[in-house]
Amino acid sequence: MNSRALRRIGLVAGVATTSALVLAGCSGGGGDAASGGDENTLTLATFNDFGYTDELLAEFTEETGIKVVHNKAATSNDARTNFFQKLGKTGLADVEGVEVDWFPEMMQYSDLVAPVPEDLQGRWLDWKEKAATDAEGNLVAYGTDVGPQAICYRGDLFEAAGLPTARDDVAALFPTWDAFFQVGSDYVEKTGKPFIDSANSVLQGVVNQLEIAYEEPDGTVVATENPDIRAAYDTVVDKAIPIAAYPGQWTEDWYASMASGEFAAMLCPPWMHGIIEGEAPDIAGWDIANAFPEGGGNWGGSYLVVPANGKNVENAQKLADWLTSPETQIKAFNNAGTFPSQPEAQSSADLTGFVSPYFNDAPTGEIGIDRANAITVTTFKGPKYFQYHDALGNAITRVFDGIEDKETSWDTWVNEVGSF
């Protein structure tokens, strides 16, 4: 689907000037109106934690004279709802964050975002840039981070349960998903406490190791017929639910549990590091193992896009460029663990030599590089990937909460897929 013939009205490319030296930072849900026509102010809308601190955005203001108002939604789901309600209309920020799972959905409306300037092409990893190139050859989004997965674990809780605590020894525990579940089951049996934070994080990890999940590249929907998806569902229900504290992430209870130190391990892309540290600053014992079941997997990573009908498109492009430059990607990684999507940034000594004091001085830069190199599969994600995957996660949640049994919840999902 392409909206080019349907949504031409209102596409305006505004030209802005620069003068002010002020940064206005705030936190809220979704994006505000696109800066209300103030040529010296830009709005930026993200979610979770992109590593864009007030101090970082102040550097952009100092360099350009353009102030930035940062609105941060609590979750990717919240950001998605806001984005698609307002895309091509009014109310989006000058620069919007788009999460990789619903990015293919956004690409259906690529004509509603301003193309990336040609001189920036080639800046990103090939597969990251290819995914952001539309059918007409236009690069339409600025890659932020990627999400090579590792295992975050509580060394103190592992020790109390009689498990090894040294990084290399912990990494050796998890060569396969079966080994991961066995360790988790033994931990729960010994301690009576949950091993991992959520069951649906395992669904994400398993699905991201599949070449085909819910749709094929030719558009054929295989969601309910794909034996790999059925196997993923069975695995999560049968083996992940019994060792998990919660069905999913991003709830108030999940955040509170992280803060209180309830669970012992998490599947952990680099962007999760900042969330853990931010939500559990007083919990000692977190560490990171350079391992992931079955080898490697990418979870998450985002893009920035500039709505084409924004009031300050030219300056918004400058901000998106600056935020995704190799230098700024390194700073964002330092702030929140968001792993750079650019080869130049990934080869920087600032990244290769980075260690995290919070995670027991783990060499998070080197771990991220190793985990990225371990990724051998990039899951195809069609326009409805987010909808199918979110609904399957809800099916697992229903089983976790005792609302439906395993087969009934699967059948409910099958019926939902047919209605999308």
Side-chain angles (χ1 to χ4, degrees), residues 93 243 254:
I243 65 172
W254 179 81

Side-chain angles (χ1 to χ4, degrees), residues 325-342:
S325 68
E327 298 80 11
T328 306
Q329 284 203 344
I330 291 294
K331 293 176 182 179
F333 173 80
N334 291 343
N335 291 336
T338 50
F339 196 76
S341 62
Q342 298 183 20

Side-chain angles (χ1 to χ4, degrees), residues 389-406:
H389 188 74
D390 189 55
L392 188 58
N394 291 338
I396 289 166
T397 297
R398 290 191 297 271
V399 178
F400 189 103
D401 291 339
I403 297 173
E404 293 180 345
D405 63 34
K406 177 181 174 180

Side-chain angles (χ1 to χ4, degrees), residues 114 119 123 132 136 156 175 179 193 231 267 290 304 317 325 408:
D119 63 336
R123 168 187 275 185
E136 297 183 5
D156 55 332
K193 297 179 179 180
L267 306 185
N290 189 353
L304 299 178
Q317 290 176 314
S325 68
T408 301

Side-chain angles (χ1 to χ4, degrees), residues 72-307:
K72 186 163 64 173
T75 69
S76 169
N77 290 31
D78 293 338
R80 174 182 174 271
T81 298
N82 180 76
F83 184 83
F84 287 111
Q85 283 177 345
K86 299 174 181 178
L87 181 64
K89 302 172 186 176
T90 60
L92 286 180
D94 292 299
V95 179
E96 288 273 340
V98 178
E99 204 269 331
V100 67
D101 281 356
W102 44 278
F103 184 76
E105 188 178 359
M106 191 284 300
M107 287 296 289
Q108 296 179 99
Y109 310 102
S110 62
D111 59 304
L112 297 180
V113 297
V116 176
E118 290 185 6
D119 63 336
L120 297 183
Q121 295 181 19
R123 168 187 275 185
W124 294 274
L125 294 168
D126 289 344
W127 62 266
K128 186 79 171 178
E129 194 163 302
K130 180 179 179 181
T133 302
D134 68 14
E136 297 183 5
N138 297 309
L139 180 63
V140 298
Y142 304 72
T144 58
D145 62 318
V146 292
Q149 292 250 62
I151 303 292
C152 291
Y153 68 98
R154 287 277 303 280
D156 55 332
L157 297 184
F158 270 44
E159 183 176 17
L163 292 169
T165 61
R167 292 186 199 106
D168 289 347
D169 294 336
V170 173
L173 294 175
F174 306 124
T176 65
W177 284 112
D178 285 343
F180 179 84
F181 295 129
Q182 187 61 59
V183 172
S185 179
D186 292 345
Y187 179 91
V188 172
E189 183 176 357
K190 184 175 182 63
T191 66
K193 297 179 179 180
F195 180 65
I196 58 171
D197 64 315
S198 73
N200 272 318
S201 68
V202 176
L203 177 69
Q204 189 79 49
V206 172
V207 170
N208 281 337
Q209 292 178 326
L210 304 177
E211 291 187 5
I212 299 296
Y214 308 109
E215 300 161 273
E216 293 183 341
D218 66 1
T220 303
V221 176
V222 296
T224 60
E225 301 171 357
N226 186 349
D228 290 334
I229 288 297
R230 179 65 209 226
Y233 174 81
D234 290 343
T235 294
V236 174
V237 170
D238 296 340
K239 297 182 179 181
I241 284 180
I243 65 172
Y246 299 99
Q249 299 170 319
W250 321 118
T251 64
E252 290 185 6
D253 287 343
W254 179 81
Y255 281 114
S257 183
M258 185 182 295
S260 64
E262 180 182 5
F263 43 79
M266 297 177 69
L267 306 185
C268 210
W271 52 261
M272 187 67 79
H273 302 173
I275 294 172
I276 296 172
E277 182 174 358
E279 295 297 327
D282 299 325
I283 299 297
W286 278 108
D287 209 325
I288 305 173
N290 189 353
F292 195 71
E294 312 294 346
N298 184 79
W299 178 16
S302 300
Y303 292 87
L304 299 178
V305 297
V306 175

